[in-house]
């Protein structure tokens, strides 16, 4: 089976990286598709340089999870509304033939995330229609789609995936996005400690979700199809 995560920026996969690691470990294939290379995500590093840095960080983070990576090369902080993005995702479905898709809820606050969530969700039906011609073969049936869920986002999860055995690999993968985490630190001297504190908070978040699910650590989702799973999406 093929699990595909559709995000906007390198590091968006950190919402669901434990789930990716878990199913890769079971022999499934996983691909992380990001709409941009994150060229606006820093206060000082210029866009061209940042795109290169974040591409490298993402490649390492994906390697640790055992996933492939693909970029659609839209502009960061300017992911378009509408047809162009949706059609890009139609061809992602047709090329990768996912069985399960993980993406943003179409009503989240940040616009790039919202655009990706809506386009990824809308594209799944179009990818299955033979008369919607793009030059790529149709992909049927439509995969199950799970939106990243968090009790604090206003989108209450209904699906919890037990990632207790994959927390270490999740954190190791998270660490690779150095350009994104260190920028929040106050000075270079404080940045090492800052990273550790950030990891503590990150760990705590998935521990809290785990407590809700009655396991050690969990990631949470909202199933689009109404199918709900206690701890598993795939065999
Ligand atoms: Zn993002």
């Amino acid at each position: 089976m093929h699990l595909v995560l559709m995000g906007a920026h390198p590091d968006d996969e950190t919402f669901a990286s434990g789930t990716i690691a878990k199913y890769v470990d079971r022999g499934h294939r996983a691909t992380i598709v990001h709409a941009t290379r994150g060229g606006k995500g820093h206060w000082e590093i210029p866009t061209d340089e940042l795109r290169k840095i974040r591409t490298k960080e993402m490649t390492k983070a994906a390697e640790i999870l055992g996933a492939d990576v693909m970029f659609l090369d839209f502009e960061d902080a300017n992911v378009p509304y509408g047809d162009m993005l949706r059609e890009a995702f139609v061809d992602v479905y047709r090329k990768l033939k996912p069985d399960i898709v993980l993406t943003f809820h179409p009503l989240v606050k940040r616009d790039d995330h919202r655009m990706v969530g809506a386009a990824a969700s809308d594209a799944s039906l179009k990818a299955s229609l033979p008369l919607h011609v793009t030059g790529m073969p149709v992909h049927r049936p439509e995969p199950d789609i799970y939106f990243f869920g968090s009790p604090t986002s206003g989108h209450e999860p209904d699906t919890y995936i037990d990632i207790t055995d994959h927390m270490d690999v999740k954190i190791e993968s998270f660490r690779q996005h150095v350009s994104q985490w260190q920028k929040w630190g106050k000075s270079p001297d404080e940045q090492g400690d800052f990273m550790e504190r950030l990891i503590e908070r990150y760990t705590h978040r998935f521990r809290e979700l785990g407590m809700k699910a009655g396991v050690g650590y969990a990631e949470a989702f909202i199933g689009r199809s109404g199918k709900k799973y206690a701890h598993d999406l795939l065999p």
Side-chain angles (χ1 to χ4, degrees), residues 7-12 15 54 104 110 112-113:
H9 317 103
D11 79 5
D12 287 345
F15 287 103
R54 295 190 72 182
F104 286 103
R110 187 166 171 191
D112 282 359
H113 295 172

Side-chain angles (χ1 to χ4, degrees), residues 93-94 96-99 124 127-129 137-143:
Y93 280 95
R94 290 178 169 184
L96 299 181
K97 305 195 172 308
D99 298 285
S124 70
S128 75
L129 300 176
V138 297
H139 175 50
R140 268 202 309 261
E142 272 192 79

Side-chain angles (χ1 to χ4, degrees), residues 200-213:
E200 255 175 54
R201 286 213 300 275
Y202 185 67
T203 305
H204 182 69
R205 196 193 328 161
F206 298 98
R207 173 75 190 114
E208 280 190 329
L209 292 171
M211 285 163 74
K212 285 197 161 229

Side-chain angles (χ1 to χ4, degrees), residues 16 23 70 75 96 101 152 171 190-191 194 200 203 213 217:
Y23 294 115
M70 181 176 163
E75 189 189 347
L96 299 181
V101 169
T152 55
I171 289 168
E190 289 172 322
Q191 283 171 356
F194 181 79
E200 255 175 54
T203 305
Y217 295 88

Side-chain angles (χ1 to χ4, degrees), residues 4-167:
V4 175
L5 182 142
M6 300 180 182
H9 317 103
D11 79 5
D12 287 345
E13 79 290 348
T14 59
F15 287 103
S17 44
T19 299
I20 291 174
K22 173 174 182 158
Y23 294 115
V24 166
D25 213 16
R26 288 194 187 166
H28 297 292
R29 182 179 167 208
T31 305
I32 297 165
V33 181
H34 286 318
T36 80
R37 293 176 194 256
K40 303 276 175 65
H42 206 273
W43 339 129
E44 283 147 13
I45 302 172
T47 291
D48 284 352
E49 195 183 332
L50 186 59
R51 281 166 51 90
K52 287 183 197 144
I53 291 170
R54 295 190 72 182
T55 300
K56 276 193 200 145
E57 289 172 348
M58 186 61 245
T59 304
K60 276 197 260 170
E63 261 172 32
I64 289 166
L65 301 174
D68 296 324
V69 192
M70 181 176 163
F71 295 101
L72 302 182
D73 282 323
F74 287 97
E75 189 189 347
D76 187 10
N78 200 19
V79 172
Y81 291 83
D83 296 355
M84 202 202 294
L85 183 65
R86 192 198 62 224
E87 289 309 297
F89 278 113
V90 166
D91 279 345
V92 169
Y93 280 95
R94 290 178 169 184
K95 183 168 187 218
L96 299 181
K97 305 195 172 308
D99 298 285
I100 301 268
V101 169
L102 310 175
T103 190
F104 286 103
H105 192 288
L107 293 177
V108 290
K109 185 172 151 198
R110 187 166 171 191
D111 58 353
D112 282 359
H113 295 172
R114 198 166 62 240
M115 296 308 116
V116 164
S121 182
D122 291 347
S124 70
L125 172 67
K126 303 233 163 23
S128 75
L129 300 176
L131 298 181
H132 188 72
V133 176
T134 66
M136 303 267 290
V138 297
H139 175 50
R140 268 202 309 261
E142 272 192 79
D144 285 339
I145 299 184
Y146 290 87
F147 302 120
F148 309 142
S150 148
T152 55
S153 71
H155 306 293
E156 190 64 38
D158 58 26
T159 299
Y160 290 85
I161 304 304
D162 180 357
I163 56 158
T164 309
D165 295 340
H166 296 87
M167 269 311 283

